[in-house]
Every structure is written in C-alpha cells, then in structure tokens.
Amino acid sequence: MYYFFWKIHPILCSNFFDLQISWYSCWVFLGWVLSFLYFDNISKSLTRLKADYYKIVFFIFFFLGSRLGFYIEVILWGDPSKLQFVAVQEGGFSGQVGGIIAIIVISIIHLIQANDKLPLLLLLDYIAIAGLPSIVCTRIGNFFNHESLGIPTTRLIGVIFSHATSSKNNIPLHPVQLYEAAGYLLGYSLVLFLNRKDSPKGEFFSKICLIISLIRFVLEYLKEDIENGFPSPGQCFSLPFLLAGILLTFRNRRKKVSIN
C-alpha cells in the first residue's frame, strides 16, 4: 500500500541573521497578520487606536497564556523534570489556554473601562470571527513542523512524516492537523451561514465556542496524545470553551423568550 510521504524539512532557513526560521513560525505569523487585518475590517465601530489596543493586549496575553498552558500540560501529563521556563525558542505552547486567558483579560479590561459604545459580547463576536485565519494557519504550521501528530493508520489517507520523532517517522499517521484545519473552516462556514443579521450580540461567539471545541474534542481521539489515556490535554482545555458556548446559548435563548 502506498502512503503520502511528507518530506519538507521543518526549518525554512537555518541562518537568517543567526536565526532559524521555521515553516511553523511563518504560518503562525501569516495567521496573526490575517486575523489582525480581518479584525480591523469587521470592527468598524472601533477607532483605529482602540482596535490596535485590543489587538496588542490580546496578543500579549495569548502568548503568555499559551506558555502557561504548556507548563500546565507538562506538569499534569508529561515529565515536569524536563520543564524549561525560558527556552521559548524550543517551542511549547497551548493555544487553547492562551485563548482562554486572553479572552478573560480582554473582558476584564473592557468591563473596567465601562465602554458602553461597544458591548462586550459584540467585541467577543469580533474576536471570534477574526480568529479563523490564526487557528487554521497554526494547524497547517503544525503539519509543516511534523508535530501534533495523529495515531497510526492503514488507510490511504495516512501520511508518513519524515522528520517526526524516531518512533513515528516511518509509520503512516492520520494527518489530524489538516483534519482540524478543514474542520474549523467548515465550522466557521456553517456558523456564518446560520447566523442572521438580527442575531443577539454574542451569538456568533457562543456558536464558535461550541463548534470549535466539539471539533477539537472529537479529533483528539485521532491524536497521539490520546495514547496516554482519556481525557487528553486538548480535550480538557476544550471544556471551558464548550461551557462558555452552552451558557451563552442558553442566555440568548432566554433573552429571545423574554422579548417574545
């Protein structure tokens, strides 16, 4: 049986002003740029200064939260003795935890500032909409980086990652990174299709939380992390988004009932 061999090296440039540039970094950078541009395009009710402020705050706390999520993952599911707090260049991020912390910080700042011109739930809708390019590009970056691998498969869809760890570089695996990227695209498309212009504020954010967390939770069963037992780190970190989506959905339903 023939499988697809993924041979592209994770390092795009090994000596760029004494720096290594990886494909993953390029994809993540592209995703954030597209998300920032998308946010500017949809948040017309915000001034340019205010929009830039929210983007910077979100990025900073997303980065810090992602690193914190990595520490939590290593402590609870990995080997704490190998934990390095400073070696960011060696990788180690959890975007789910980063997203949770960034959203919480943005919400707190917004409430403290008492910005009545832009309701908090509408701001969260903007963030949810603009987040699509970032999460999709990150998963493509994982594919280029030969990481976040799937479990072995004997189907033709299996991919052999030539630069994966020695125990996995000759085994056909589920390209779960691409499954996720495609699933997020389809999920966003479905929400955009079902979302009405008169939908209450926060409706898009709640649906995205529900769909994205469910997609992530289900696809975790095809990831190598699940081999260490259920639930995997990704499944645990999906629960806060799932809970937020459920609570906001019930809130909006009750609001519609009270209006009618």
Side-chain angles (χ1 to χ4, degrees):
M1 186 173 292
Y2 296 95
Y3 300 102
F4 180 76
F5 281 81
W6 185 241
K7 298 181 179 181
I8 292 181
H9 198 279
I11 303 300
L12 173 62
C13 180
S14 59
N15 189 16
F16 182 77
F17 295 101
D18 295 327
L19 295 174
Q20 280 191 344
I21 306 297
S22 67
W23 281 103
Y24 175 79
S25 300
C26 293
W27 278 105
V28 171
F29 177 77
L30 175 63
W32 277 97
V33 170
L34 292 176
S35 287
F36 282 168
L37 293 175
Y38 199 8
F39 183 84
D40 289 336
N41 185 58
I42 62 178
S43 59
K44 299 297 185 182
S45 57
L46 288 173
T47 64
R48 179 63 181 273
L49 183 62
K50 200 68 175 179
D52 289 343
Y53 171 75
Y54 280 127
K55 287 186 294 185
I56 293 172
V57 170
F58 187 91
F59 177 80
I60 291 174
F61 282 95
F62 180 89
F63 179 85
L64 296 176
S66 296
R67 193 62 177 166
L68 175 62
F70 169 70
Y71 299 150
I72 294 173
E73 186 174 334
V74 172
I75 292 171
L76 297 181
W77 287 278
D79 185 1
S81 64
K82 297 181 180 180
L83 192 61
Q84 298 184 37
F85 286 88
V86 184
V88 178
Q89 73 278 3
E90 296 183 10
F93 295 93
S94 174
Q96 289 171 298
V97 178
I100 294 169
I101 291 179
I103 288 172
I104 291 174
V105 171
I106 285 287
S107 301
I108 293 174
I109 291 175
H110 186 279
L111 292 174
I112 291 175
Q113 292 178 343
N115 187 356
D116 297 328
K117 295 181 180 179
L118 179 68
L120 174 59
L121 290 179
L122 181 58
L123 175 60
L124 294 180
D125 281 339
Y126 290 160
I127 293 174
I129 295 171
L132 174 61
S134 179
I135 61 175
V136 170
C137 286
T138 298
R139 285 295 165 254
I140 297 175
N142 292 142
F143 184 80
F144 272 77
N145 213 36
H146 301 251
E147 63 181 5
S148 297
L149 302 173
I151 59 176
T153 180
T154 57
R155 299 181 182 275
L156 283 174
I157 200 170
V159 175
I160 296 178
F161 293 88
S162 302
H163 297 281
T165 56
S166 58
S167 61
K168 294 285 184 71
N169 60 7
N170 289 314
I171 304 174
L173 308 171
H174 278 285
V176 70
Q177 313 96 323
L178 301 184
Y179 297 168
E180 276 195 70
Y184 296 153
L185 281 171
L186 291 174
Y188 265 80
S189 299
L190 179 62
V191 173
L192 286 172
F193 177 77
L194 296 176
N195 210 47
R196 302 187 307 274
K197 290 184 178 180
D198 60 343
S199 296
K201 297 176 181 64
E203 182 83 0
F204 190 92
F205 177 75
S206 64
K207 289 178 179 177
I208 285 298
C209 283
L210 283 172
I211 289 183
I212 297 302
S213 60
L214 287 173
I215 290 173
R216 177 67 186 266
F217 193 92
V218 172
L219 288 179
E220 282 290 316
Y221 285 105
L222 296 178
K223 284 189 175 182
E224 59 181 351
D225 288 344
I226 203 66
E227 296 174 348
N228 297 323
F230 172 86
S232 69
Q235 288 173 325
C236 291
F237 295 150
S238 295
L239 295 179
F241 289 101
L242 182 62
L243 180 61
I246 292 173
L247 292 177
L248 277 175
T249 299
F250 275 113
R251 173 193 175 277
N252 291 335
R253 293 294 177 269
R254 289 181 59 184
K255 195 171 183 179
K256 288 180 180 179
V257 171
S258 62
I259 291 176
N260 294 332

